[in-house]
């Protein structure tokens, strides 16, 4: 029987603060890090592609380790971990955008090390945060509501970044040159890092662990074997992987798509990111009534069909500004409605998918899911950087080669469309009983 103990709005908001903090820095790294590396800090595209990939390979060790630590120590350790790591999270996010005046090789090394360290701290705080939802409530209905607040926090953090980044770095830096943007970016990232640390402290203070899993004493290989035998958990990780492939392409290539395909400026790209984020945020509340009426899986399939339609319309629209914004509006609304469902399905998989892999292994289950999402981001970033290289992208170039448009369209439209199709297959394979 489900636990129907009501969760206060205050606690739901506190929980949402975690994804707001995560997605301020996640938004910066997913939407602006490649642009910062290529056009502001002046790193070569090949180096950028490898930095994005190597950072995710390193994370392959960080995420499972912190998940295993959480399982071994028990659920009550989660708020304490979040409290301890809140300030390091902000500091490492800031130094990712601190452009030290180094040699070309030194710049590449500095960028790689800082991004890798940030990814490790992100793993160590976001993995316990993801497992926290299972420990707050055992009610499926309340989890949808809890994850709706999480997604609203996510979109609020992303919206702040989308609205302010380009204007802020220009205003804080005092101009449009690369040197001025480097200074403006550092000051802006510092302000965001302070805010992120405060928000994480709100999570640690405001969320209550009501259902703490007991420490797990079984071996790591046994736990992994049980998890891999949990069909729902495997499918939820595949869903997450393909979802974040689409997100990385959408936000990572928005600035390039605006400039090269739509013929606009960096500000148009920032406006596109803002427009998408606003609609994502506005659509989240529709998830709960839709899921109650149709069920989680059927609701997800409908949202994915809408996303696929939007990408096809975007491809047909080409350089038409009206057609593009209508297409991207449908895409963002469908993604916003679906976004809480990913975490609801994951919580269901961890809690109910297999009696051997219930909340007792939540830390490892969520840590691997976190790694999967970052692996998707890293691989997609690597592919996108290769697309720019194949299209002979000119950093800060007023004119670009004619073949570049096709490569950017491939990364912004066709790659995420393929990811949407793969998500549909995952949901069709989901066990019939929700």
């Amino acid at each position: 029987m489900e636990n129907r103990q009501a969760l206060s709005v205050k606690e739901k908001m506190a929980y949402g603060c975690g994804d707001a903090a995560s997605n301020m820095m996640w938004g910066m790294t997913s939407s602006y890090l490649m642009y910062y590396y290529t056009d502001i800090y002046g790193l070569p595209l090949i180096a950028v592609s490898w930095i994005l990939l190597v950072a995710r390979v390193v994370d392959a060790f960080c995420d499972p380790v912190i998940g295993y630590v959480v399982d071994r120590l028990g659920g009550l350790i989660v708020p304490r971990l979040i409290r301890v790591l809140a300030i390091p999270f902000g500091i490492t996010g800031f130094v990712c955008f601190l452009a030290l005046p180094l040699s070309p090789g030194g710049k590449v090394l500095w960028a790689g090390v800082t991004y890798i360290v940030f990814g490790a701290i992100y793993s160590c705080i976001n993995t316990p945060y993801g497992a926290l939802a299972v420990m707050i409530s055992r009610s499926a209905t309340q989890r949808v509501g809890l994850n709706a607040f999480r997604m609203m926090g996510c979109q609020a953090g992303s919206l702040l970044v989308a609205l302010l980044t380009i204007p802020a770095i220009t205003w804080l830096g005092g101009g449009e040159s690369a040197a001025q943007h480097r200074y403006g970016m550092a000051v802006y990232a510092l302000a965001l890092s302070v805010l992120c640390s405060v928000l994480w402290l709100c999570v640690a203070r405001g969320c209550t662990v009501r259902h703490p899993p007991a420490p797990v004493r079984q071996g790591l290989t046994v736990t992994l074997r049980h998890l891999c035998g949990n069909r729902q958990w495997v499918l939820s990780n595949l869903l997450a992987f393909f979802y974040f492939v689409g997100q990385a392409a959408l936000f990572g290539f928005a600035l390039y798509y605006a400039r090269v395909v739509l013929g606009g400026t960096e500000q148009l790209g920032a406006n596109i990111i803002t427009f998408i984020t606003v609609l994502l945020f506005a659509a989240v509340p529709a998830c709960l009534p839709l899921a109650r009426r149709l069920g989680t899986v059927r609701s997800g399939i409908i949202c994915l069909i809408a996303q696929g339609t939007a990408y096809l319309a975007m491809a047909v629209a080409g350089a038409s500004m009206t057609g593009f914004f209508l297409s991207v509006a449908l895409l963002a609304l469908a993604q916003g409605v679906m976004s809480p469902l990913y975490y609801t399905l994951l919580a269901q998989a961890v809690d109910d998918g297999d009696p051997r892999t219930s909340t007792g292994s939540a830390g490892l289950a969520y840590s691997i899911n976190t790694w999967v999402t970052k692996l998707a981001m890293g691989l997609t970033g690597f592919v996108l950087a290769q697309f720019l290289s194949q299209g002979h992208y000119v950093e800060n170039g007023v004119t670009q080669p004619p073949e570049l448009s096709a490569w950017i369209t491939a990364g912004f439209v066709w790659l995420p469309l393929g990811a949407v199709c793969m998500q549909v297959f995952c949901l069709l394979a989901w066990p019939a009983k929700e």
Side-chain angles (χ1 to χ4, degrees), residues 15-306:
Y15 184 68
C17 286
D19 238 21
S22 282
N23 280 276
M24 284 180 199
M25 286 305 175
W26 186 270
M28 286 295 293
T29 56
S30 63
S31 299
Y32 296 101
L33 187 66
M34 186 185 298
Y35 169 73
Y36 165 75
Y37 281 161
T38 58
D39 288 52
I40 296 179
Y41 202 29
L43 300 184
L45 276 170
I46 295 298
V48 171
S49 66
W50 282 105
I51 288 171
L52 296 176
L53 183 61
V54 170
R56 297 291 74 85
V57 172
V58 174
D59 281 346
F61 298 95
C62 296
D63 288 286
V65 166
I66 189 63
Y68 188 62
V69 168
V70 170
D71 287 340
R72 298 289 289 185
L73 297 179
L76 293 175
I77 194 66
V78 168
R80 279 177 275 174
L81 273 174
I82 293 174
R83 187 182 303 112
V84 168
L85 293 171
I87 293 176
F89 178 89
I91 292 173
T92 54
F94 161 62
V95 297
C96 279
F97 295 92
L98 181 62
L100 296 185
L102 303 172
S103 65
K107 287 182 177 182
V108 172
L109 181 62
W110 170 251
V113 169
T114 54
Y115 189 42
I116 288 170
V117 172
F118 169 71
I121 297 295
Y122 185 99
S123 297
C124 292
I125 197 169
N126 208 59
T127 292
Y129 171 71
L132 187 58
V134 174
M135 304 174 194
I136 291 175
S137 175
R138 300 296 298 275
S139 164
T141 301
Q142 289 182 27
R143 283 177 184 170
V144 173
L146 194 65
N147 283 307
F149 271 83
R150 177 180 182 175
M151 286 299 96
M152 285 190 283
C154 163
Q155 304 307 340
S158 299
L159 177 60
L160 178 67
V161 168
L163 278 171
L164 297 183
T165 300
I166 295 298
I169 64 175
T170 301
W171 180 71
L172 291 170
E176 297 282 353
S177 70
Q180 290 168 320
H181 273 191
R182 281 195 294 271
Y183 177 78
M185 181 67 86
V187 176
Y188 176 63
L190 177 61
L192 285 182
S193 71
V194 172
L195 179 56
C196 288
S197 294
V198 171
L199 289 172
W200 276 121
L201 292 173
C202 290
V203 177
R205 184 182 179 89
C207 293
T208 302
V209 176
R210 296 179 180 82
H211 310 281
V216 174
R217 298 307 179 198
Q218 68 185 11
L220 177 61
T221 56
V222 174
T223 304
L224 286 173
R225 187 167 63 249
H226 288 171
L227 283 173
C228 291
N230 182 337
R231 181 180 173 188
Q232 292 182 2
W233 180 78
V234 172
L235 288 172
S236 65
N237 279 288
L238 289 173
L239 273 172
F241 179 85
F242 291 115
Y243 170 69
F244 279 96
V245 166
Q247 290 294 287
L250 182 65
F251 289 99
F253 249 26
L255 293 176
Y256 301 100
Y257 194 86
R259 291 164 57 191
V260 176
V261 178
L262 299 179
T265 63
E266 295 165 357
Q267 186 57 53
L268 174 61
N271 291 342
I272 290 170
I273 294 172
T274 302
F275 180 68
I276 293 171
T277 307
V278 168
L279 293 181
L280 285 169
F281 181 87
V284 168
C287 174
L288 184 55
L290 184 65
R292 282 175 174 167
R293 183 177 181 83
L294 299 177
T296 307
V297 172
R298 285 189 291 273
S299 299
I301 291 174
I302 290 172
C303 291
L304 288 170
I305 291 172

Side-chain angles (χ1 to χ4, degrees), residues 294-425:
L294 299 177
T296 307
V297 172
R298 285 189 291 273
S299 299
I301 291 174
I302 290 172
C303 291
L304 288 170
I305 291 172
Q307 291 177 46
T309 302
Y311 276 119
L312 290 174
M314 198 182 300
V316 172
S320 167
M321 202 70 71
T322 301
F324 171 79
F325 274 98
L326 288 174
S327 302
V328 86
L330 174 61
L331 175 66
L333 289 171
Q335 287 189 348
V337 174
M338 188 173 178
S339 56
L341 301 181
Y342 292 101
Y343 298 100
T344 302
L345 289 169
L346 177 61
Q348 175 185 317
V350 172
D351 197 23
D352 305 321
D354 188 318
R356 297 169 303 177
T357 56
S358 62
T359 51
S361 58
L364 189 60
Y366 275 93
S367 70
I368 294 175
N369 182 264
T370 302
W371 172 71
V372 164
T373 64
K374 291 192 289 183
L375 177 65
M377 298 287 287
L379 288 173
T380 306
F382 178 82
V383 171
L384 295 179
Q386 294 296 322
F387 281 5
L388 290 178
S389 179
Q390 291 297 318
H392 304 101
Y393 174 71
V394 180
E395 294 86 349
N396 290 310
V398 177
T399 60
Q400 297 289 348
E403 66 269 20
L404 180 62
S405 179
W407 284 100
I408 290 179
T409 300
F412 192 77
V413 176
W414 299 116
L415 177 63
L417 177 58
V420 166
C421 294
M422 295 305 298
Q423 290 177 71
V424 172
F425 291 137

